[in-house]
Amino acid sequence: MIDLKLLQKDFDAMSAKLSRKKVDTSLIADLKKKNEELKKAKTEFETLQAMQNSMSREFGIYKKEGRDVSELKEKVDANKINIAAALEMQRERQEELETLAMSIPNMPDDNVPDGADENDNIEIKKVLAPREFTFTPKEHWELAEQNGWIDFERGVKLATSRFSVSFGMGAKLERALINFMLNFNSKRGFEEVSVPVIVNRNALKGTGQLPKFEDDLYKIDSQELFLIPTAEVPVTNLFADEILEESQLPIKMTAYTPCFRKEAGAAGRDTRGMIRQHQFHKVELVAITTPQTSDKVFDEMLACASDILTALELPHRLVTLCTGDLGFSAARTVDIEVWLPGQNTYREISSVSNTRDFQARRAKIRYKDGDKNSMVHTLNGSSLAVGRTLVAIMENFQNEDGTITIPKVLEPYLGI
RNA sequence: GGAUCUUUGGCAGAGUUGGUCGAAUGCACCGGUCUUGAAAACCGGCGAGGGUUAUACCUCCCAGAGUUCGAAUCUCUGAGGGUCCA
């Protein structure tokens, strides 16, 4: 959530930043107005409540002294009606404010480039040169089927479209990649955690998926529970509602989970193959830091993801997302795109974001900052999306006859 | 699924004949005295959110609803945890 105090203090700066993310200034103005109205309603209610409290205390004293309370009771009863009305007013205001505030995205960092969509993203650097092919490289679904690694039809039979099944070496490679990535991240100082893949509404509010993006989530009908769209949700919320010691920070974690996304609005995109599935494996990095160290940890996370690809000998590039392509919670994001020779293009395989204090404010993750409590910074990044890594391996390591060479670093994980 | 108990501040743990309890006490933590330094001892401070220049004041004792002038304390519902039964 954006900082309402800051909004009150420096409306212009804030609305200028948010307008870069295409948030209408009138919305921000409305938010400010609602905040002021809430304050007013609160003051009104609290004044009445204070009256009530002091009269009640008096009441106790009267009783003890055996004095007549009938007159006092009349006053108190009359006041009660006013309190009820004031409380109702306050509640309405609160709800209005919250609904609006929770649906406003984070402010982009100042150095995030302006832009409309992914075409305006800015490449930072390329790592490893794409291999020269002496034949026309195939796309991964062709290779996957030819090698018997992935069965798309049977996935559909079991569930619905955008589900697949991995067999044999395909399945083994997924497992190998997960282990390889987790170990790699551990060596970089990220503690491994294993978390629930079903979470409640509150957790999703904390990281920003709710209330705005409920359509993208798989919900368990009978309960207010959802399948996670990313491990970022449970891992970041691990410390929700807590006040951490500064000495604990930064907390750096890595987790493997399956992820579930409805992909609402993605109709027609990447319908073939396993680029865009409803269920996929992902190894995630999450960090909770002080504001002073979040940029440094961001670089560590980015390096970690990029180095995994380098270790796998996969050509990739780093791209700074422009304001138009930035996610709801992110203040800054760098994507890593892996080279797919079959598609002759770079495709996203990782996304590292700093949300600054946006999630921290929603999830109430704070730390002892001297003698006061301050919001932490939270960061998350994939390292990496497992299915897409497998796709990249297939396309980059394919041979002319359609067989696929296994990257050397994975051999120990495959019992080879 | 049934019965029963339980849910308090970072942790442990008082507080259940409703009233000045935001909450004893211990530990942890912070500051000070003492010490060459540390430990011990002693003194002081120490939950969170809102609000204020600062006070005042408001809210929070799992969540929600209720009874009452007044609830951590009583009632109901729900959630988490324990034990027993099936």
Side-chain angles (χ1 to χ4, degrees):
Chain A
M1 197 163 73
I2 59 168
D3 189 345
L4 291 175
K5 272 189 188 162
L6 192 63
L7 175 72
Q8 220 53 257
K9 218 170 15 186
D10 199 350
F11 174 82
D12 291 338
M14 209 158 185
S15 71
K17 284 184 186 191
L18 281 166
S19 69
R20 296 182 66 211
K21 223 169 172 176
K22 298 280 173 295
V23 180
D24 204 320
T25 309
S26 66
L27 263 186
I28 325 273
D30 192 27
L31 186 66
K32 183 166 186 261
K33 197 179 109 222
K34 284 196 160 71
N35 192 35
E36 281 158 2
E37 283 174 354
L38 173 65
K39 263 190 169 168
K40 221 169 94 193
K42 252 185 161 164
T43 311
E44 219 160 288
F45 167 73
E46 284 178 6
T47 309
L48 291 169
Q49 187 64 253
M51 270 170 69
Q52 189 78 355
N53 287 344
S54 75
M55 282 194 279
S56 284
R57 242 169 286 152
E58 224 176 312
F59 205 100
I61 296 165
Y62 273 39
K63 275 267 184 179
K64 204 177 264 175
E65 294 175 350
R67 284 206 264 165
D68 177 40
V69 294
S70 56
E71 199 183 319
L72 188 57
K73 183 158 162 45
E74 257 175 57
K75 263 164 67 183
V76 136
D77 282 343
N79 195 41
K80 254 179 132 175
I81 298 167
N82 295 333
I83 287 185
L87 180 63
E88 188 49 38
M89 174 70 82
Q90 196 211 112
R91 272 193 186 157
E92 274 172 31
R93 292 284 133 87
Q94 176 86 47
E95 207 180 303
E96 281 174 25
L97 178 72
E98 235 174 67
T99 309
L100 184 58
M102 290 293 273
S103 67
I104 290 182
N106 199 4
M107 297 181 291
D109 283 357
D110 289 337
N111 56 9
V112 169
D114 277 312
D117 53 38
E118 69 267 23
N119 297 314
D120 296 324
N121 294 343
I122 293 176
E123 183 180 302
I124 302 170
K125 64 169 175 180
K126 287 194 171 80
V127 181
L128 300 180
R131 156 189 169 200
E132 300 284 339
F133 282 87
T134 54
F135 57 94
T136 307
K138 297 187 177 105
E139 299 214 36
H140 75 274
W141 55 78
E142 210 181 326
L143 295 161
E145 278 173 8
Q146 185 186 330
N147 285 280
W149 286 10
I150 298 167
D151 187 327
F152 295 101
E153 280 78 26
R154 286 195 169 87
V156 176
K157 179 166 76 180
L158 292 173
T160 177
S161 62
R162 294 190 194 276
F163 282 88
S164 63
V165 179
S166 305
F167 283 97
M169 186 51 82
K172 271 183 197 290
L173 270 170
E174 280 185 2
R175 173 165 57 83
L177 282 168
I178 290 165
N179 283 329
F180 170 65
M181 290 168 184
L182 283 172
N183 285 345
F184 196 98
N185 295 340
S186 293
K187 280 187 204 133
R188 296 285 176 105
F190 292 84
E191 187 186 10
E192 189 170 338
V193 287
S194 180
V195 290
V197 299
I198 293 177
V199 296
N200 57 37
R201 197 170 272 281
N202 201 39
L204 287 153
K205 273 189 189 167
T207 32
Q209 285 76 16
L210 289 180
K212 230 183 163 178
F213 306 103
E214 186 157 349
D215 288 349
D216 295 332
L217 299 169
Y218 282 102
K219 185 177 176 191
I220 295 171
D221 271 340
S222 54
Q223 302 176 56
E224 283 291 284
L225 295 172
F226 300 81
L227 300 182
I228 58 168
T230 159
E232 168 197 342
V233 178
V235 179
T236 306
N237 278 288
L238 238 26
F239 297 97
D241 250 319
E242 293 192 23
I243 300 169
L244 304 162
E245 293 299 328
E246 189 170 353
S247 59
Q248 290 176 264
L249 304 175
I251 296 171
K252 302 196 287 180
M253 293 167 287
T254 184
Y256 152 72
T257 68
C259 302
F260 305 90
R261 296 183 187 178
K262 277 194 177 169
E263 295 294 349
R269 291 175 64 192
D270 303 311
T271 46
R272 279 198 90 170
M274 58 187 313
I275 290 287
R276 199 173 298 276
Q277 298 269 289
H278 286 312
Q279 175 183 337
F280 58 96
H281 302 296
K282 183 155 63 72
V283 174
E284 184 80 359
L285 298 173
V286 170
I288 294 174
T289 75
T290 61
Q292 295 77 38
T293 51
S294 73
D295 285 320
K296 178 175 158 273
V297 175
F298 182 94
D299 291 340
E300 287 177 27
M301 290 165 70
L302 192 60
C304 192
S306 172
D307 291 349
I308 288 176
L309 287 171
T310 305
L312 289 167
E313 302 167 59
L314 291 170
H316 57 281
R317 63 172 189 170
L318 276 54
V319 172
T320 298
L321 297 199
C322 70
T323 51
D325 206 20
L326 214 51
F328 181 77
S329 297
R332 174 195 178 203
T333 297
V334 173
D335 271 7
I336 298 179
E337 298 178 344
V338 70
W339 175 250
L340 296 183
Q343 296 191 12
N344 194 36
T345 185
Y346 285 97
R347 290 301 303 261
E348 177 191 339
I349 194 164
S350 169
S351 198
V352 179
S353 298
N354 189 345
T355 77
R356 304 284 171 202
D357 60 6
F358 185 81
Q359 291 179 329
R361 188 167 294 107
R362 289 174 157 244
K364 298 196 181 65
I365 311 175
R366 291 150 295 172
Y367 76 104
K368 284 267 176 228
D369 177 14
D371 55 358
K372 64 178 199 290
N373 298 322
S374 299
M375 297 295 167
V376 299
H377 278 193
T378 63
L379 304 93
N380 63 79
S382 18
S383 76
L384 303 156
V386 175
R388 290 189 180 185
T389 308
L390 184 55
V391 166
I393 288 172
M394 286 190 276
E395 294 203 6
N396 283 281
F397 284 82
Q398 62 179 295
N399 304 309
E400 189 157 14
D401 61 358
T403 58
I404 293 154
T405 307
I406 307 293
K408 275 194 235 29
V409 290
L410 291 180
E411 286 178 0
Y413 294 89
L414 293 163
I416 297 174

